[in-house]
Amino acid sequence: MSPFQKLRPAYGQAVLHIGGSAVEWFERGAEGVLHARIDVPEADAGLLADAAEKAWRAAGGTTRSCVLAFSRPFSFHTLIALPEIGKKELWGVFQRRAQALAAGDGSVYFLARDMDRENAEAGQPARISWLLAGLRGAGPELRLRLRDRGFHVHNVVSAELAAIEWGRQRAPEPEQAALVIVIGEGALSVSLVAGKNLYYQQSIEGDLATRPSLASGLVHEIKTCAAFWRKKSRGQTVGQAVVVGLPKARVELLALTLAAILPGVEVRAASDDERDPSGRHGLLEAPRAAGALNPELAFWLPQRRRRVGLLAVLGSTAALALALVLFDAGRERLRALREQALEFRRATADLEPMQERTRAADELVEEIGRHLARGKEVAAHGVPLERALTVVLAALEGRAELQELSLRAESGNPARLTLVGRCASDPAQLVGRLRTVLDRLQRSEVLSEISLALPEEFGENAAEYATFSIEAVLQG
């Protein structure tokens, strides 16, 4: 379990949506939307994996790479306000609340993100608002079954949080306060967002399509949210609202009600696709929205992918530069070294000390051969590794220590770079430094699709240093 999120700059094109009673495949391609829904009798990992395969085939899916989006009962989230407390106590609070939200499920995967810090009043400690989100333990088993069926899951997210981020990004001014109303199949929600922060969020259980009476409860929550923001912002009103999960025509009707509650509010539909009469496509596409309010709910699976190691440890650019220079010099240098080794062996065959030096020469030739083979593979993919390493080392300088760098290059796919580093395990330092590292890497022209995996251990039992890994696609 990890209380910290993995941040990614962008999510994939297809979405596999997992609900308690149905599985849906959604893909937006050049020929339009591919969508299929398969109902399931119960939330069993085997049945869900079978339904995912059927939904993919029924939709005519063109890829098996997707974002895995869980909705209730698999995912959960809440906002909690806490005073400033120590790391150990904070971790304990998160763990207890996550277990309670998961209804006693023994395996829970969760993260927590600082949303808002209120100024301390006279004699009172400052309070911090945290977004706590997570998944029940069924997630890893389902992801393993999907992997066995050939699905490649890029990200695991909460469908409900994704809808909030999707709506926030479609507000006229995403950095300003906005009301995000999500109309889902099993619940309605009202949220207040501003920039990267979620300030208010309440849900109403039920389906508006089958229980129209829920509309009155929705109006009540909107009024409560508006009153909350006026108090928090010292009299400001919410000037924009986005509705996710309803078609544009019905959003225009809802706008009349919102105008009575929030005079002058600008209301938008998250999706204006005329081919989507239910508005469902907006909810299914939302998990693709990369952003602070749609974090990856990560858990670690056994690695099955073949990795090609470039160097065991790279202490500086000199090690990688040596491999590339040797490759450029190429076969002539290797042939000359082999000739020298053979001549040396003939001249010293009867001398034991010299035989030892001969074996050392042979080992050197083998090492050069390995470097040449690695360089050849790198060159075959056109990967600007020397530039990439320069970018990586510059991003890590003074923030973290590089321990390992590896390349995975599969036929027909872009080459992927994985680096393993070490940083102080204090959460504040770790997250702050790695956010800077990610920002620097994302600005480079040689790396894309950058993802960060943080350590699971957090608290007083954690080591002095924490190990993290970063993956990226190399351009070139």
Side-chain angles (χ1 to χ4, degrees), residues 332-350:
E332 293 300 324
R333 174 62 174 160
L334 181 59
R335 186 182 299 111
L337 286 170
R338 284 176 175 167
E339 291 290 340
Q340 293 177 19
L342 289 173
E343 182 66 26
F344 199 54
R345 184 181 296 114
R346 287 193 293 268
T348 61
D350 297 329

Side-chain angles (χ1 to χ4, degrees), residues 401-459:
E401 176 185 346
L402 178 64
Q403 293 187 305
E404 182 178 343
L405 187 69
S406 63
L407 176 72
R408 183 172 70 256
E410 300 173 351
S411 177
N413 295 318
R416 299 188 69 89
L417 186 74
T418 300
L419 69 90
V420 177
R422 193 175 74 164
C423 187
S425 65
D426 177 74
Q429 293 187 32
L430 181 66
V431 174
R433 291 179 180 180
L434 293 185
R435 279 178 177 168
T436 303
V437 171
L438 285 177
D439 288 340
R440 289 176 175 269
L441 294 179
Q442 289 166 1
R443 289 197 296 267
S444 73
E445 298 179 356
V446 295
L447 299 176
S448 65
E449 298 184 22
I450 301 166
S451 63
L452 166 68
L454 289 168
E456 296 185 17
E457 293 298 326
F458 166 69

Side-chain angles (χ1 to χ4, degrees), residues 457-472:
E457 293 298 326
F458 166 69
E460 65 175 3
N461 295 325
E464 181 181 359
Y465 292 96
T467 301
F468 63 91
S469 65
I470 294 176
E471 287 192 1

Side-chain angles (χ1 to χ4, degrees), residues 136-187:
R136 296 172 182 269
E141 181 183 357
L142 175 60
R143 191 170 176 184
L144 281 170
R145 289 178 180 268
L146 291 173
R147 188 177 72 177
D148 292 339
R149 292 173 180 271
F151 289 95
H152 178 60
V153 176
H154 287 285
N155 311 82
V156 181
V157 301
S158 162
E160 296 173 0
L161 283 177
I164 297 174
E165 176 65 28
W166 185 256
R168 184 194 73 82
Q169 292 182 8
R170 277 147 186 79
E173 297 183 49
E175 297 304 315
Q176 302 300 318
L179 191 69
V180 178
I181 302 169
V182 179
I183 312 297
E185 284 190 330

Side-chain angles (χ1 to χ4, degrees), residues 74 89 98 102 116 143 152 154 163 190 203 216 240 246 285 301 305 310 328 344 385 402-403 446 459:
F74 300 102
E89 293 81 3
D116 180 38
R143 191 170 176 184
H152 178 60
H154 287 285
V190 176
S203 297
S216 60
Q240 51 187 350
L246 284 182
E285 193 170 8
L301 298 180
R305 294 171 295 186
L310 288 177
D328 291 336
F344 199 54
L385 281 176
L402 178 64
Q403 293 187 305
V446 295

Side-chain angles (χ1 to χ4, degrees), residues 341-412:
L342 289 173
E343 182 66 26
F344 199 54
R345 184 181 296 114
R346 287 193 293 268
T348 61
D350 297 329
L351 301 175
E352 184 174 346
M354 301 303 289
Q355 287 177 340
E356 200 63 33
R357 296 178 61 185
T358 300
R359 284 192 292 271
D362 289 340
E363 290 174 0
L364 176 60
V365 171
E366 292 177 2
E367 179 68 18
I368 292 171
R370 286 193 294 270
H371 282 302
L372 287 172
R374 291 164 182 161
K376 184 177 181 180
E377 182 171 1
V378 170
H381 288 83
V383 177
L385 281 176
E386 188 170 9
R387 290 175 58 202
L389 183 59
T390 301
V391 169
V392 168
L393 292 177
L396 295 179
E397 183 178 5
R399 301 173 187 88
E401 176 185 346
L402 178 64
Q403 293 187 305
E404 182 178 343
L405 187 69
S406 63
L407 176 72
R408 183 172 70 256
E410 300 173 351
S411 177

Side-chain angles (χ1 to χ4, degrees), residues 121-261:
E121 299 178 0
Q124 298 294 328
R127 293 183 66 82
I128 305 172
S129 180
W130 293 87
L131 171 62
L132 179 66
L135 295 173
R136 296 172 182 269
E141 181 183 357
L142 175 60
R143 191 170 176 184
L144 281 170
R145 289 178 180 268
L146 291 173
R147 188 177 72 177
D148 292 339
R149 292 173 180 271
F151 289 95
H152 178 60
V153 176
H154 287 285
N155 311 82
V156 181
V157 301
S158 162
E160 296 173 0
L161 283 177
I164 297 174
E165 176 65 28
W166 185 256
R168 184 194 73 82
Q169 292 182 8
R170 277 147 186 79
E173 297 183 49
E175 297 304 315
Q176 302 300 318
L179 191 69
V180 178
I181 302 169
V182 179
I183 312 297
E185 284 190 330
L188 319 176
S189 72
V190 176
S191 305
L192 195 287
V193 299
K196 297 181 180 180
N197 287 345
L198 175 64
Y199 290 98
Y200 179 95
Q201 205 270 326
Q202 288 293 333
S203 297
I204 305 173
E205 298 290 337
D207 194 330
L208 187 61
T210 58
R211 293 176 56 191
S213 59
L214 291 176
S216 60
L218 178 62
V219 171
H220 173 74
E221 286 298 341
I222 293 172
K223 290 180 178 179
T224 303
C225 180
F228 162 83
W229 183 247
R230 281 195 300 271
K231 180 179 179 181
K232 182 174 183 60
S233 62
R234 299 181 180 180
Q236 294 182 15
T237 59
V238 181
Q240 51 187 350
V242 181
V243 184
V244 185
L246 284 182
K248 187 176 182 180
R250 294 189 63 188
V251 171
E252 291 173 351
L253 294 175
L254 180 59
L256 299 176
T257 301
L258 290 173
I261 302 172

